[in-house]
Amino acid sequence: MKIFKRILIAVAVLVILSQVPFAYRRYMIGQTADKIASDNTARRQIEDARFDEYHGAIHAHSAIGGHSNATFDELIAGANAAGTNFVVMTEHWSDAYDTSAMTLSGQHGNTLFVAGNEIDTADDDRMLMVPGSADAAGLRRLSTRDVAAKLHNEHRLALVTYPERFHSWRADIDGVEVFNLHTAAKNINRFTAFFDLLWSGSSYPELVFARSFSRPDENLAKFDSYAEADRATLFAGTDAHSNIGFYLLGDETGHKFFGVKLDPYERIFRIMQVHVLIPKGTPLTQDSLLAAISDGRVFVGMDALGDTSGFRFRFGDRSMGERASVAESNVLTVDLPLKSRVVLYKNGQKAAENAGADHYEFKADGPGVYRVEAYREGLGAAFEAMPWIMSNPIYLAPAP
Ligand SMILES: [Zn+2]
């Protein structure tokens, strides 16, 4: 045999061997996807006499604010296809024009868009301002505390994004983005993600991402210490830009050849959504949505691992985000659409843990800030490192 032929055969064998782990992972991810699909058909229906539930995304960008080439058409199509009830747009500011006035707002197909901004402050903090304003660019000259106070005077929400590099925790903020999907997706190993997406991407793209996520310990600790002193809303941001990918060839007009886009809107929206509770009979509008976010009637669901709709964390009749006195009841209840492991936190410390059920009752151990995290069971360790559900707190005060 000619040496050339031998080399060719050796290279072919190496290429085939290198793909064995990805083929195996495709098989395993396929098994997981089948289990999730069959679990979703057997979900428990949970009653709620007080609230209707909607789900959507907070923190999204288009080409209007830079860092993205995405069009409104792409955004609307992605949000509609993912079944997203709402998207809170947060365009970067521009000195030349009002990006919040130019971005998507109002109802488009099945999705309500709310126009906000992502802003910078003189303390080098980043926040989301909702709704947005023509002042967005100028806020970078004010301190974070002054920005938060100004936004409250104007009845706008001031939400912390990137808490890992936020400094001004004494400012009066409305919420903390404890998980940022864009950052998490960017940190995925692109080499293995490329082959995983080649093998599994057409069938299970959301799961390729979901298996790489882990619990945002530091951000949750920051949220917990803030919430212990002052009520705030825990949420996850999609930070969707539709701009992560890699391309072997492309031209100046943005045409891409032989490339993989890792984060199209529909995929990012399908991985994880923010679920909000709106009083029964009240329609989903910009006002009712922002009131729910402001009041903490919110939970974060990693719906790619199983539809989280119906999850409830309550104290008697009280909902997430509400204050109650310990005299009202002594039981915190958790209802889940699927059996899962639940961890109860009190003031940021693990207070109780239980598994194997879809309904739990925990005895409240005196006044404190209580929230829960739920984790899927039986999907394998890679899918259990990240909470399937993160609730907002219920705030228990001493008996009067
Ligand atoms: Zn952003």
Side-chain angles (χ1 to χ4, degrees), residues 61-223:
H61 299 275
S62 76
I64 290 287
H67 310 284
S68 167
N69 298 320
T71 62
F72 290 163
D73 289 318
E74 272 180 75
L75 242 171
I76 293 169
N80 284 180
T84 309
N85 299 132
F86 61 85
V87 174
V88 176
M89 300 299 299
T90 50
E91 301 288 6
H92 293 288
W93 51 266
S94 160
D95 272 319
Y97 54 90
D98 178 355
T99 55
S100 70
M102 293 176 73
T103 194
L104 279 176
S105 68
Q107 194 76 26
H108 295 277
N110 300 321
T111 310
L112 171 72
F113 288 83
V114 175
N117 286 114
E118 182 165 338
I119 56 170
D120 294 282
T121 73
D123 295 314
D124 209 15
D125 291 320
R126 277 272 172 100
M127 283 196 284
L128 306 177
M129 163 170 75
V130 194
S133 112
D135 289 342
L139 296 176
R140 70 184 187 278
R141 288 183 275 273
L142 302 180
S143 73
T144 303
R145 288 177 82 161
D146 288 349
V147 169
K150 176 172 159 52
L151 299 195
H152 287 145
N153 277 334
E154 299 168 355
H155 305 289
R156 302 178 201 279
L157 297 182
L159 306 170
V160 172
T161 181
Y162 310 116
E164 61 274 23
R165 47 179 230 229
F166 189 82
H167 313 96
S168 312
W169 291 101
R170 299 185 66 182
D172 183 13
I173 56 170
D174 297 299
V176 180
E177 181 185 75
V178 296
F179 190 80
N180 182 299
L181 256 173
H182 179 73
T183 305
K186 248 187 349 195
N187 290 339
I188 195 170
N189 179 321
R190 291 193 194 198
F191 176 76
T192 55
F194 179 79
F195 287 110
D196 272 337
L197 286 167
L198 278 185
W199 280 95
S200 315
S202 59
S203 313
Y204 317 112
E206 292 88 20
L207 294 183
V208 169
F209 281 96
R211 75 192 305 285
S212 76
F213 296 161
S214 56
R215 184 181 185 274
D217 297 335
E218 262 180 56
N219 291 348
L220 285 166
K222 286 183 171 160
F223 171 80

Side-chain angles (χ1 to χ4, degrees), residues 313-328:
F313 174 47
R314 289 180 275 224
F315 180 70
D317 194 33
R318 301 286 192 164
S319 136
M320 292 179 301
E322 292 184 314
R323 294 176 203 275
S325 145
V326 289
E328 287 178 34

Side-chain angles (χ1 to χ4, degrees), residues 369-387:
V369 181
Y370 292 87
R371 64 175 185 83
V372 294
E373 295 170 13
Y375 294 79
R376 285 298 315 261
E377 297 173 308
L379 297 186
F383 294 104
E384 292 166 24
M386 171 79 191

